[in-house]
Amino acid sequence: MNFKEELEKRTCRAEQVIRKYLPAEEGFSKNLIKAMNYSMEAGGKRLRPVFLGEMYHIFGGQEELAEPFMAAIEMIHTHSLIHDDLPAIDNDEYRRGKKTTHIVFGESAAILAGDALLNYAYETALKGFSLAKNSREMERTAKALQILAEKTGIRGMLGGQSVDVENDGRPLKRELLDYIYVNKTSALIEASLMAGAVLAGAEELKEIETMGRYIGLAFQIQDDILDVTGDQEELGKSVGSDEKNHKTTYVTLEGMEKAGQEVERLTGEALELLSGFPGDKEFLRELFLFLCTRRK
Ligand code: GRG
């Protein structure tokens, strides 16, 4: 398998699916919709929809049931980026290689665009019900929606982000940092992997959730590393943001060397779990390994 080619193929497909579900820029609220689409169309790795689509295929899904969920998870993720970049939170100027939404559209428009994307994500995922061909697929769609909502909410991404913001600038113990990472970052990655699998009828949800937790943690620690060692041009977003915001990160707490080792260890744990699932897992395996050494 040529991993780079396969990644390109899947990213392009995710891109097409996302664009298919973006709202049309028309009507009196078209400025709001333009602000929503600005960040959605700015690029990004499309990692969460790729995870979702891949798990759907690994567990035997063959049709388009996963598509609205692929678009929805990217909308939720993009909402979090728009809000995270706001002056009240990280106050960042660049994201996905472009000026951030609040810089281009103004702060109030960026707040509303983030809110509107979060809501539009659920409007989009609900379209799964009209694609479901039988009661079994209806049930799977409902379960995937439940996963999406729970992993985004107070016991998931938003819960993690709130603890992160509350503790901004304070020294943190490892236990609290782990709580923040597992929720603010792993939760959406868990949701991508679990929702894709559940739409295809998978039952191994506990194991998939744990695999997502490991990959999410590894991803976030690598993000901490890149905030120190990365290149703004390559990353497409501001670097040094953690230092600017006096954030405790895995790197400040444990040091650069240990952070790198932890990324490798967590990726290894995730690969171990992946090997226990059915289907063709070669691409996902390569993707996990690729993320472990990513530079953007
Ligand atoms: C709701 C304000 C709010 C925040 C939720 C997800 C999140 C918490 C904040 C976004 C910023 C951040 C550092 C999140 C941690 C996860 C992470 C490293 C996100 C960046 O994801 P990538 O690298 O981004 O997949 P692209 O642009 O490639 O999609």
Side-chain angles (χ1 to χ4, degrees):
M1 184 195 58
N2 182 327
F3 172 70
K4 285 277 158 68
E5 261 176 43
E6 291 300 316
L7 177 61
E8 176 76 20
K9 235 193 259 171
R10 283 159 175 85
T11 310
C12 282
R13 161 126 204 284
E15 199 66 49
Q16 281 167 0
V17 171
I18 289 163
R19 281 169 197 260
K20 178 167 143 188
Y21 283 98
L22 288 181
E25 293 173 9
E26 59 195 17
F28 283 120
S29 62
K30 78 166 172 250
N31 280 338
L32 169 68
I33 302 167
K34 275 189 181 159
M36 291 161 73
N37 289 351
Y38 169 76
S39 189
M40 285 297 294
E41 289 174 339
K45 294 181 283 300
R46 308 312 196 190
L47 198 60
R48 293 149 191 85
V50 167
F51 277 158
L52 199 149
E54 199 57 23
M55 287 300 272
Y56 183 65
H57 284 295
I58 285 178
F59 282 92
Q62 281 168 355
E63 306 214 23
E64 51 189 356
L65 192 58
E67 288 190 356
F69 283 90
M70 290 169 69
I73 196 98
E74 189 68 14
M75 289 171 194
I76 295 173
H77 168 58
T78 306
H79 127 85
S80 80
L81 302 180
I82 294 174
H83 279 186
D84 195 64
D85 290 334
L86 284 168
I89 305 191
D90 276 0
N91 195 20
D92 279 321
E93 213 181 320
Y94 287 95
R95 175 70 69 179
R96 296 178 160 169
K98 288 186 160 186
K99 291 273 184 185
T100 42
T101 307
H102 67 272
I103 301 276
V104 177
F105 293 87
E107 208 175 320
S108 50
I111 293 171
L112 289 173
D115 289 344
L117 264 181
L118 181 59
N119 193 69
Y120 205 69
Y122 292 103
E123 291 183 49
T124 304
L126 280 161
K127 291 183 178 151
F129 284 111
S130 37
L131 294 176
K133 289 198 209 57
N134 47 46
S135 59
R136 219 179 39 189
E137 288 195 348
M138 288 276 185
E139 270 170 40
R140 291 175 186 174
T141 303
K143 182 81 192 140
L145 259 162
Q146 188 187 1
I147 291 168
L148 217 58
E150 285 178 7
K151 293 289 177 190
T152 300
I154 54 176
R155 309 260 176 248
M157 181 186 79
L158 288 162
Q161 176 70 1
S162 74
V163 177
D164 191 9
V165 169
E166 266 165 42
N167 286 286
D168 217 10
R170 291 197 196 136
L172 291 181
K173 291 237 159 56
R174 175 70 190 274
E175 194 190 357
L176 200 56
L177 193 66
D178 282 346
Y179 170 86
I180 292 170
Y181 284 11
V182 162
N183 287 284
K184 102 168 174 179
T185 308
S186 290
L188 264 206
I189 291 179
E190 289 165 19
S192 320
L193 298 165
M194 291 165 78
V198 96
L199 286 167
E203 286 174 359
E204 299 90 329
L205 285 190
K206 263 279 145 254
E207 292 83 354
I208 297 170
E209 185 176 39
T210 308
M211 180 172 82
R213 194 177 72 223
Y214 291 140
I215 283 300
L217 279 169
F219 189 78
Q220 181 58 57
I221 298 170
Q222 187 67 13
D223 201 66
D224 294 349
I225 295 174
L226 290 176
D227 194 65
V228 180
T229 65
D231 173 65
Q232 176 164 323
E233 193 98 343
E234 198 178 356
L235 278 168
K237 64 175 183 177
S238 318
V239 292
S241 183
D242 295 333
E243 195 183 357
K244 178 186 84 185
N245 294 311
H246 310 289
K247 274 213 153 111
T248 302
T249 69
Y250 205 92
V251 172
T252 62
L253 206 61
E254 306 282 4
M256 191 59 85
E257 195 183 334
K258 198 155 171 226
Q261 287 164 358
E262 191 61 2
V263 173
E264 278 179 33
R265 187 191 70 76
L266 289 159
T267 305
E269 298 279 357
L271 287 173
E272 183 70 35
L273 282 164
L274 180 67
S275 68
F277 300 139
D280 180 0
K281 295 150 310 207
E282 195 184 351
F283 171 76
L284 201 53
R285 187 176 171 281
E286 293 295 320
L287 180 57
F288 285 177
L289 286 167
F290 174 72
L291 289 176
C292 182
T293 54
R294 75 190 168 100
R295 297 298 305 159
K296 65 177 188 169

